[in-house]
Amino acid sequence: MALYEDLAGRTALIAGGATLIGRELARAFVDQGCRVVIADIDCAGGKQAVCELGEGVMFVETDVTSDTAIDACLAAARERFTGIDFLVNVTTSYLDDGPATSRENWLRALDIGLVGAAVLAHKLADELSARKGVIVNFSSVSAHRAQAGRFVYPAIKAAMAQLTRSQALEFAPRGVRVNAVAPGWTWSNVLSALSGNDRAKVDAVGGPFHMPGRIAEAAEIAGAVLFLCSGASSFVVGTEIRVDGGYLAMGPERGEVPIATLMEH
Ligand SMILES: NC(=O)c1ccc[n+]([C@@H]2O[C@H](COP(=O)([O-])OP(=O)(O)OC[C@H]3O[C@@H](n4cnc5c(N)ncnc54)[C@H](O)[C@@H]3O)[C@@H](O)[C@H]2O)c1
């Protein structure tokens, strides 16, 4: 179903697009008539996405921590699809040993989850400007809350939210809008692997942190990304759209009424 007619015929580059969330995002772009370039180190996932989604999707094996690999990816994308209109940065690592995280892992996680996105944006700046393009970065609810045992991931997601504001200011005069999405728990490769592919178990554990009592579908995150790429969001700049089922709006009391407990005698 074409939600946004202005997306048709344009090209999105999804860094980290080979994972479940990235693939659903690619599917959502294809449904709007877009072409998609998936840049990822996961060859199996990338090839699966191309198989599922067809001709309009290309996979380029790309390590976003390598400038040479990024240059080769952009060259291949331009050759096949002429130019890039949308850059979506999904890439992340879950390297995180809390306070015990080694320097090597801190730097590696930063390179994958933040620096790669910044370098991609810089290398695409002229092209995005010429094509009135859009950048969408992936932040997270984790950017805004302390989470037990986690130091690296929340810090990088918070940095991504700030990078989004800085890029928005830099690129807006050149006609490029930059925003982020901040998902709550979302059905994904990582949650599937952790739970033994048990969606009901993940909803039981993660659901109570979200007002609808369940976690998100990847397609629900994709809906917000499409909105941010479309002209329907033409004055939305430098912000994070929370796609978190109310996770960040809820306080520790959640749906309970503790005052009622106090009044029980
Ligand atoms: N899963 C969730 O519940 C959740 C919640 C909030 C935000 N998010 C965000 O959504 C996005 C996707 O999360 P996910 O859980 O699907 O993660 P994931 O680990 O499944 O996906 C990350 C992708 O990045 C790719 N990647 C890793 N290193 C790379 C590199 N050096 N070069 C290129 N690609 C590389 C991986 O191959 C993978 O395809 C992330 O930005 C994450 O922070 C996820």
Side-chain angles (χ1 to χ4, degrees):
M1 184 178 56
L3 284 175
Y4 303 109
E5 285 177 2
D6 60 322
L7 296 183
R10 303 188 81 190
T11 302
L13 187 146
I14 308 177
T19 195
L20 192 156
I21 291 178
R23 225 166 43 236
E24 287 311 307
L25 188 50
R27 192 188 311 282
F29 274 116
V30 167
D31 287 347
Q32 300 304 306
C34 292
R35 292 167 298 211
V36 176
V37 182
I38 293 177
D40 202 299
I41 47 168
D42 175 5
C43 280
K47 285 176 185 162
Q48 187 188 334
V50 173
C51 266
E52 275 177 29
L53 301 173
E55 282 289 291
V57 177
M58 79 183 283
F59 168 66
V60 188
E61 183 180 356
T62 311
D63 182 343
V64 299
T65 68
S66 155
D67 287 1
T68 317
I70 290 175
D71 288 338
C73 170
L74 298 184
R78 285 171 185 136
E79 193 179 327
R80 167 106 175 252
F81 291 146
T82 325
I84 307 294
D85 300 285
F86 310 127
L87 167 64
V88 188
N89 289 302
V90 178
T91 313
T92 193
S93 110
Y94 286 107
L95 282 171
D96 196 331
D97 297 316
T101 305
S102 66
R103 181 180 297 275
E104 188 188 359
N105 281 351
W106 266 106
L107 294 176
R108 174 96 190 124
L110 266 169
D111 214 358
I112 295 169
L114 182 74
V115 182
V119 170
L120 269 163
H122 180 60
K123 287 182 182 288
L124 279 169
D126 289 343
E127 194 165 325
L128 292 174
S129 175
R131 299 168 74 92
K132 297 287 168 263
V134 171
I135 298 175
V136 181
N137 293 321
F138 266 60
S139 175
S140 167
V141 291
S142 305
H144 303 281
R145 293 289 181 268
Q147 292 177 322
R150 289 181 120 181
F151 272 39
V152 178
Y153 181 80
I156 290 175
K157 289 292 154 184
M160 196 59 142
Q162 178 54 40
L163 177 68
T164 299
R165 291 185 279 272
S166 304
Q167 287 179 328
L169 180 65
E170 176 71 23
F171 291 131
R174 303 182 62 189
V176 179
R177 286 185 304 113
V178 187
N179 289 291
V181 287
W185 288 38
T186 306
W187 184 244
S188 49
N189 283 11
V190 71
L191 291 181
S192 170
L194 287 171
S195 66
N197 199 29
D198 187 341
R199 173 63 197 265
K201 191 173 172 187
V202 179
D203 274 330
V205 174
F209 310 144
H210 306 81
M211 293 184 191
R214 64 170 176 83
I215 67 160
E217 297 291 348
E220 293 174 307
I221 313 303
V225 176
L226 291 185
F227 168 69
L228 288 172
C229 289
S230 78
S233 62
S234 53
F235 210 60
V236 181
V237 179
T239 196
E240 259 178 296
I241 294 197
R242 298 174 178 178
V243 196
D244 69 351
Y247 180 112
L248 291 171
M250 255 196 298
E253 295 171 18
R254 300 195 203 158
E256 289 155 30
V257 189
I259 198 87
T261 315
L262 279 183
M263 289 158 61
E264 281 167 15
H265 296 294

